[in-house]
């Protein structure tokens, strides 16, 4: 699998490891350092920075951060963390992966500064930047911990835009929320909304 951030790229290998290249000013390559550029792929390390991140089944990329879903259904985030993109209640850039405070995850996606997670029970959870209501909790407040998206029902897929989110319900219905100045929510208006 592959994922593209704004200025960094990621690849998930068949052996469950993740590699990144490109800009690394916020530590978004997860190799324990920051650098203006990384012209060839480097391996994302583990939390301690002594080994490698492994057992990964899916990856996603935000503007300046990376996200990985592990085979134990946990979510790991690294890189820019000014809006608690790591979902662990803290801020401050992470040079190696940090575990988000959520379990039983089967799908992930990322917006510019927020993360979406789909749990095995069909609920969708979000965290991070929320100025346009893209987290779907009815507010426009930054969420440092995962919050459940309300008013959708059983979700089967999630996707993140820059400041918006898309959710597909198990019956195929699509719900959108967040920034909508250019009609990206597809509801015939240009009204931003925090309700799916």
């Amino acid at each position: 699998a592959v994922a593209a951030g704004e200025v960094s790229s990621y690849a998930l290998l068949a052996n469950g490891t993740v590699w990144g290249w490109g800009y690394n000013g916020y530590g978004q390559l997860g190799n324990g350092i920051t650098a203006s550029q990384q012209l060839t792929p480097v391996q994302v390390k583990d939390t301690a920075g002594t080994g490698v991140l492994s057992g990964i089944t899916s990856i996603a990329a935000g503007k300046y951060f990376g996200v990985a879903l592990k085979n134990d259904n946990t979510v790991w985030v690294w890189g820019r963390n000014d809006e608690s993109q790591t979902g662990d209640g803290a801020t401050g850039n992470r040079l190696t992966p940090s575990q988000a405070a959520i379990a039983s995850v089967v799908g992930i996606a990322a917006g510019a500064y927020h993360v979406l997670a789909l749990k095995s029970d069909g609920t969708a959870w979000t965290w991070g930047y929320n100025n346009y209501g893209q987290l779907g909790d009815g507010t426009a407040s930054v969420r440092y911990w995962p919050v459940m998206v309300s008013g959708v029902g059983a979700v089967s897929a999630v996707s993140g835009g820059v400041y918006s989110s898309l959710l597909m319900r198990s019956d195929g219905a699509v719900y959108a929320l967040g920034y909508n100045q250019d009609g990206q929510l597809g509801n015939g208006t240009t009204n931003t909304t925090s309700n799916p």
Side-chain angles (χ1 to χ4, degrees):
V2 292
E6 180 166 295
V7 286
S8 308
S9 301
Y10 304 93
L12 170 60
L13 273 62
N15 66 3
T17 62
V18 181
W19 295 69
W21 60 95
Y23 182 65
N24 193 33
Y26 298 97
Q28 64 261 49
L29 300 186
N31 64 338
I33 63 171
T34 59
S36 59
Q37 300 179 319
Q38 177 62 47
L39 303 183
T40 56
V42 294
Q43 199 163 12
V44 177
K45 295 189 175 183
D46 63 10
T47 301
T50 56
V52 298
L53 186 66
S54 60
I56 302 305
T57 60
S58 181
I59 55 175
K63 188 168 184 178
Y64 299 120
F65 65 94
V67 187
L69 176 61
K70 208 167 180 178
N71 55 13
D72 62 0
N73 304 107
T74 58
V75 177
W76 297 78
V77 187
W78 61 94
R80 186 168 175 171
N81 191 39
D82 55 334
E83 305 288 344
S84 196
Q85 293 93 318
T86 52
D88 61 2
T91 57
N93 298 339
R94 300 297 172 84
L95 306 187
T96 57
S98 175
Q99 186 176 355
I102 191 169
S104 303
V105 175
V106 295
I108 54 172
Y113 302 106
H114 69 289
V115 180
L116 300 96
L118 173 62
K119 293 184 73 167
S120 57
D121 62 2
T123 56
W125 295 70
T126 56
W127 61 90
Y129 186 69
N130 192 32
N131 277 23
Y132 301 100
Q134 61 265 44
L135 301 188
D137 67 345
T139 77
S141 301
V142 171
R143 294 302 181 185
Y144 298 93
W145 304 93
V147 293
M148 189 172 71
V149 179
S150 58
V152 178
V155 176
S156 61
V158 293
S159 183
V162 176
Y163 301 125
S164 61
S165 301
L166 289 175
L167 311 166
M168 185 172 74
R169 221 167 51 180
S170 56
D171 63 0
V174 176
Y175 285 74
L177 59 152
Y179 190 67
N180 194 34
Q181 182 175 342
D182 296 300
Q184 54 265 58
L185 301 189
N187 61 1
T189 77
T190 56
N191 300 324
T192 293
T193 180
S194 60
N195 298 306

